[in-house]
């Protein structure tokens, strides 16, 4: 009998897999914080004998190299991947024995990257599960535009062929176990569901229903923005990531926080957007520890800029530190816990700004208030409709486009409130009067705000 355990990394929308038999197991696409993987193997009472990468990842730093080193496992990496460390190069058709009657077969599935490789778990020679990485996802595929723009169309065509290869050669009952696709920006589109099979994908996945030309055209037209930090993940993974260090950062007092702000460093407040708006250190930015912290902080911060973390508790600092390490922000410069009263210098009052809902915005417009509405949703979201007269600056572009925000009080919104809170903190830190709209975009029409769109092409 075999088992497959799923290890979720929710903040990044990824999954790793621990699979094996009674005594030995493989880990596919492990996260940077490998202590989770080692604990999962210990609960199963199995020894990790192989660590397999489906590709050189563009969205997170792998823990595969360190996991293989610590466990003595064979480190399986696609032969076509250019890496700077010793590994077991894997080619199409290679078989890696795992446990009694269990083996892992490599299947070349280029598309997400040129060297992408899926792994099929076989029990007594019969395929039972496919670890598809960034090739065949649940209801979608991995995006083909993360390697090199000139390769994008070619990789899209290869992605179509790879998905069809898996569907043709594997039985309908074989489980599909991708790494990406649960909110990850590595997914070409957001499919639904947590579990799938080859048969279910044949029935619902566009890549298996469309001819290649239609698939490529629609795939390329629907690609979303690429987080800026992705540019740093591939080189880090190819070069060989250092072991993760999750020891507690040094504690900072109010004077040090002020000095770091004055030096142009980032001070990140991890509290809820409600608490941040009510009172915070002037100049700090709000990235909720319960939001998509790693994705958006890594996307917006100038790469390599020191970060000081502020939180209500040491546990929140630890959670944030773990999430940030997964995307290569390894060591916070410092941290502080408590409340704004503990973080501001003596005699200084915490800063604050108001929160609102779309009904408040509609009322302010009726009163003729001097205000600007800034929509920080991404292009694809904006294309589905927007508030009349609003200025569109996607959140990830806001730091470099602050000067484009018109005069007047800025009412900033997104689709739900989290990104608006980040944007409001950026605007507040730049000295602008800001109101954070903490409301679902669907409420804009109900509030009586005039909407525009969608655009004709949609």
């Amino acid at each position: 009998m075999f088992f497959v355990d799923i290890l979720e990394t929710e903040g990044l929308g990824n999954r790793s897999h621990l699979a094996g038999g009674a005594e030995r197991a493989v880990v596919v696409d492990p996260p940077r914080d490998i202590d989770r993987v080692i604990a999962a193997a210990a609960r199963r009472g199995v020894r990790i004998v192989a660590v397999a990468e489906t590709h050189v990842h563009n969205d997170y730093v792998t823990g595969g190299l360190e996991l293989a080193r610590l466990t003595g496992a064979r480190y399986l990496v696609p032969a076509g991947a250019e890496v700077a460390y010793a590994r077991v190069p894997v080619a199409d058709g290679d078989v890696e024995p795992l446990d009694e009657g269990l083996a892992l077969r490599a299947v070349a599935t280029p598309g997400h990257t040129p060297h992408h490789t899926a792994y099929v778990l076989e029990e007594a020679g019969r395929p039972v599960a496919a670890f598809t990485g960034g090739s065949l996802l649940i209801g979608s595929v991995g995006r083909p535009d993360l390697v090199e723009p000139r390769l994008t169309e070619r990789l899209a065509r290869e992605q179509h062929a790879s998905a069809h290869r898996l569907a043709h050669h594997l039985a309908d009952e074989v489980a599909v176990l991708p790494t990406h696709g649960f909110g990850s920006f590595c997914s070409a589109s957001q499919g639904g569901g947590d579990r799938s099979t080859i048969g279910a994908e044949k029935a619902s996945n566009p890549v298996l229903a469309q001819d290649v030309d239609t698939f490529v055209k629609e795939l390329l037209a629907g690609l979303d923005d690429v987080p800026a930090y992705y540019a740093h993940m591939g080189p880090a993974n190819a070069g060989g990531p250092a072991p993760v260090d999750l020891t507690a950062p040094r504690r900072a007092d109010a004077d040090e926080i002020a000095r770091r702000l004055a030096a142009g460093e980032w001070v990140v407040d991890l509290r809820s957007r409600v608490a941040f708006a009510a009172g915070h250190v002037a100049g700090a930015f709000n990235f909720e520890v319960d939001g998509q912290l790693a994705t958006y902080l890594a996307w917006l911060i100038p790469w390599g800029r020191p970060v000081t973390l502020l939180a209500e508790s040491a546990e929140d600092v630890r959670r944030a530190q773990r999430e940030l390490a997964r995307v290569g922000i390894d060591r916070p410069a410092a941290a502080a816990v408590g409340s704004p009263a503990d973080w501001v210098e003596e005699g200084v009052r915490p800063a604050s700004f108001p929160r609102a809902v779309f009904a408040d915005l509609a009322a302010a417009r009726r009163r003729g208030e001097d205000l600007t509405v800034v929509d920080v949703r991404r292009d694809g979201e904006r294309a589905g409709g927007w508030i009349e007269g609003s200025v569109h600056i996607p959140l990830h572009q806001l730091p470099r486009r602050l000067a484009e925000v018109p005069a007047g009080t800025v009412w900033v919104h997104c689709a739900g409130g989290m990104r608006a809170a980040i944007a409001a903190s950026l605007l507040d830190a730049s000295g602008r009067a800001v109101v954070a709209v903490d409301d679902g975009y669907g409420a804009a029409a109900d509030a009586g705000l005039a909407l525009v769109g969608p655009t004709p092409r949609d």
Side-chain angles (χ1 to χ4, degrees), residues 3 18 21-24 39-48:
F3 73 88
L18 173 72
E23 298 181 357
R24 294 179 290 278
R43 287 192 295 270
R44 280 285 185 180
V46 294
R47 180 164 61 93
I48 296 171

Side-chain angles (χ1 to χ4, degrees), residues 98-368:
L98 292 179
D99 202 55
E100 184 70 29
L102 285 180
L104 201 66
R105 182 179 298 275
V107 180
T109 48
H112 187 48
T113 66
H115 58 265
H116 192 283
T117 300
Y119 298 92
V120 175
L121 182 66
E122 297 180 342
E123 183 180 43
R126 178 178 65 90
V128 291
F131 302 102
T132 55
S135 54
L136 183 63
L137 309 186
I138 298 177
S140 185
V141 294
R143 59 193 299 169
D145 61 328
L146 302 179
V147 177
E148 157 62 50
R150 291 172 296 181
L151 297 178
T152 297
E153 183 172 347
R154 190 195 88 189
L155 289 176
R157 292 181 178 277
E158 291 181 347
Q159 189 72 297
H160 184 272
S162 292
H164 280 259
R165 182 186 185 194
L166 291 171
H168 178 72
H169 290 288
L170 298 176
D172 284 356
E173 65 270 17
V174 173
V176 174
L177 299 163
T179 301
H180 304 310
F182 309 94
S184 169
F185 281 87
C186 273
S187 177
S189 62
Q190 295 306 319
D194 291 329
R195 298 180 181 274
S196 191
T197 62
I198 291 294
E201 292 310 302
K202 286 180 179 178
S204 63
N205 197 316
V207 70
L208 298 176
Q210 296 173 327
D211 65 83
V212 64
D213 290 330
T214 301
F215 167 76
V216 170
K217 180 181 178 181
E218 294 189 4
L219 176 69
L220 300 187
L223 292 174
D224 207 337
D225 301 301
V226 179
Y229 72 91
Y230 277 27
H232 305 280
M233 300 297 95
N237 288 323
V244 67
D245 179 1
L246 296 177
T247 57
R250 61 186 303 277
R251 292 298 176 91
D253 59 18
D255 289 339
E256 181 176 346
I257 292 169
R259 289 197 304 271
R260 291 189 177 279
L261 280 167
E265 298 183 11
W266 274 38
V267 173
V268 172
D269 191 324
L270 301 168
R271 295 175 301 145
S272 74
R273 54 188 182 259
V274 175
F276 183 87
H280 56 269
V281 177
F285 303 135
N286 182 213
F287 292 81
E288 295 174 300
V289 71
D290 289 322
Q292 289 179 275
L293 169 67
T295 294
Y296 284 102
L297 178 55
W299 196 339
L300 270 65
I301 192 171
W303 199 250
R305 187 74 57 90
V307 177
T308 294
L309 302 176
L310 308 180
E312 291 179 341
S313 68
E315 175 58 26
D316 284 346
V317 172
R318 285 191 290 270
R319 288 175 58 198
Q321 190 175 352
R322 179 178 290 268
E323 285 201 37
L324 295 177
R326 293 169 181 158
V327 293
I329 302 177
D330 281 6
R331 293 295 301 161
V337 298
S339 69
D342 305 307
W343 305 329
V344 298
E345 296 174 292
E346 187 174 353
V348 177
R349 294 176 60 85
S352 64
F353 55 76
R355 296 166 53 251
V357 294
F358 282 113
D360 299 319
L361 173 58
R365 277 190 159 181
R366 287 194 297 269
R367 291 191 298 268

Side-chain angles (χ1 to χ4, degrees), residues 19-83:
E23 298 181 357
R24 294 179 290 278
V26 61
V27 181
V28 182
D29 290 342
R32 180 87 182 279
D33 47 332
I34 59 173
D35 57 328
R36 294 193 293 145
V37 181
I38 293 171
R43 287 192 295 270
R44 280 285 185 180
V46 294
R47 180 164 61 93
I48 296 171
V49 296
V51 176
E53 303 281 9
T54 57
H55 60 294
V56 174
H57 302 281
N58 288 290
D59 62 328
Y60 70 94
V61 180
T62 180
L65 183 63
E66 180 65 4
L67 181 61
R69 185 186 71 81
L70 287 177
T71 61
R74 284 163 58 82
Y75 192 26
L76 314 180
V77 178
E82 296 291 338
V83 296

